[in-house]
Structure formats: structure tokens, C-alpha cells
Amino acid sequence: MTRLVIASGNAGKLREIGLLLQVLDIEVLPQSAFGVPEAEEPHLTFIENALAKARHASRLTGLPALADDSGICVTALGGAPGVISAHYAGEPRSDARNNEKLLAEMQAQADRRAHYHCVLVLVRHANDPQPLIAEGSWHGEILRSPRGEGGFGYDPLFLDFRLGKTGAELPPELKNRVSHRGRALAALLEKLRQSPL
């Protein structure tokens, strides 16, 4: 079984990625299992941050590494919170405080459109010149109050147009199919089938 380090400490992301990569007989290990500290994320784009995180985890473990950089982009806020979604309301990170801040910022906004965006970068080794890159988006709108108990991050505020449910109201298997991360992982799986680790 191939071992792959996930360059994240986010339990929700680890769970989603682990479930989806099982089909390729890939053992997913969190970077914390190797004592790898979180990488710096100084960049303005999801792709640059994901690449930095993947190279960092691979360099410190000697294993292939997969990093995800994702966030929610709100049209009325010019794409914010974007790459700072996880710490929109500052440190320490808190989903509840992030959601409160987003609701406050959106209070006077009529345009509620938003989308989650995810970029996955997989490097076979730290200096891989051809990393596998996959992206996915999930479109919806920001509600005026939270709904649902599941998911994480902004899921209680994010309404999927087509399904009429928030990310926090969807069962995990359905969320994994329709979400930004699910779509990016499906694209990555296809690339891995064509170019195995």
C-alpha cells in the first residue's frame, strides 16, 4: 500500500480526503504523525499555498505529500475571505467566530452569492517539477443564519442552490460528491489513475 502524507491538521479535511483515496489503496497519514509543523501560507492564491504546504510536508517526511488549500469566496466581498478563510476572525482559529464575522460583513449585502474553491497539489517528492494539480468549486449563497449540525467551517451558512440544503445539512457521502473538495479529489483520482504514485 502506498503511503501519502496529508499536509493538514484539519480533522474534517483529513476525514474527507482519507475516505476518497481508499479506492486507490493509498494509506493516508496526517503530517502530525511525523511531527511536521504547519507550513507558512504567505501567498495570495490557493495554488501557491497548496504547493508550499505539499513541498514542506514531503521535505520533512521523505514521502509523497498532498496538500489542500481551500476557502470560501464571497462575491459581494470581492472574493474574501478567500485564502484566509480558516482564520478570517483572527487567531486562535474558530469556525464559530469566522461565521459570526462573515454574517456581520454580509448584513447589508443583497448579493449573497458565494463559492467554495479547493486546490489540491500532490508532489511525489519535495522537488517534484510536475506536481499533480486538481481544482474544484462549489457554488451557492450565504444564508442570514446558520442551518445544520454537520460539516465544518462555513458549512452552516453555505446553501447549495440545487439541493436547497446547507453544507452542514448534507450527509457526508453526498457532501463528498458535490463539494469543492469532492470535485477536486475526483479530478485528482483521475490523474492518479493515469499517473500512479
Side-chain angles (χ1 to χ4, degrees), residues 12 18 28 37 64 78 84 94 112 124 128 144 158 164 176 181-182 184-185:
V28 169
I84 64 161
S94 162
R112 313 292 292 186
R124 293 165 195 85
D128 190 344
R144 295 186 181 276
F158 181 79
N176 284 344
R181 191 167 297 107
L185 274 164

Side-chain angles (χ1 to χ4, degrees), residues 24-102:
L24 291 183
D25 207 28
I26 293 173
E27 181 187 6
V28 169
L29 301 160
Q31 65 182 12
S32 60
F34 300 90
V36 175
E38 286 195 18
E40 294 292 317
E41 298 179 53
H43 305 290
L44 299 176
T45 65
F46 296 116
I47 193 165
E48 289 171 295
N49 284 328
L51 184 57
K53 289 191 280 190
R55 291 200 192 284
H56 173 76
S58 183
R59 188 174 298 112
L60 294 177
T61 63
L63 293 170
L66 174 66
D68 152 302
D69 201 46
S70 54
I72 195 162
C73 302
V74 180
T75 303
L77 303 180
V83 296
I84 64 161
S85 291
H87 48 94
Y88 191 41
E91 298 292 343
R93 297 177 183 191
S94 162
D95 287 350
R97 288 190 307 108
N98 287 339
N99 280 296
E100 287 168 16
K101 180 172 180 178
L102 181 59

Side-chain angles (χ1 to χ4, degrees), residues 122-187:
L122 190 152
V123 294
R124 293 165 195 85
H125 54 84
N127 298 318
D128 190 344
Q130 290 186 289
L132 297 179
I133 299 170
E135 298 183 61
S137 290
W138 185 19
H139 292 268
E141 66 180 27
I142 302 299
L143 295 179
R144 295 186 181 276
S145 59
R147 278 182 15 200
E149 301 299 321
F152 61 96
Y154 298 90
D155 286 351
L157 296 179
F158 181 79
L159 181 73
D160 181 302
F161 291 134
R162 295 169 305 113
L163 299 173
K165 292 188 181 296
T166 67
E169 293 174 313
L170 296 176
E173 57 281 358
L174 178 55
K175 183 187 173 196
N176 284 344
R177 279 202 311 276
V178 302
S179 76
H180 54 309
R181 191 167 297 107
R183 292 171 193 206
L185 274 164

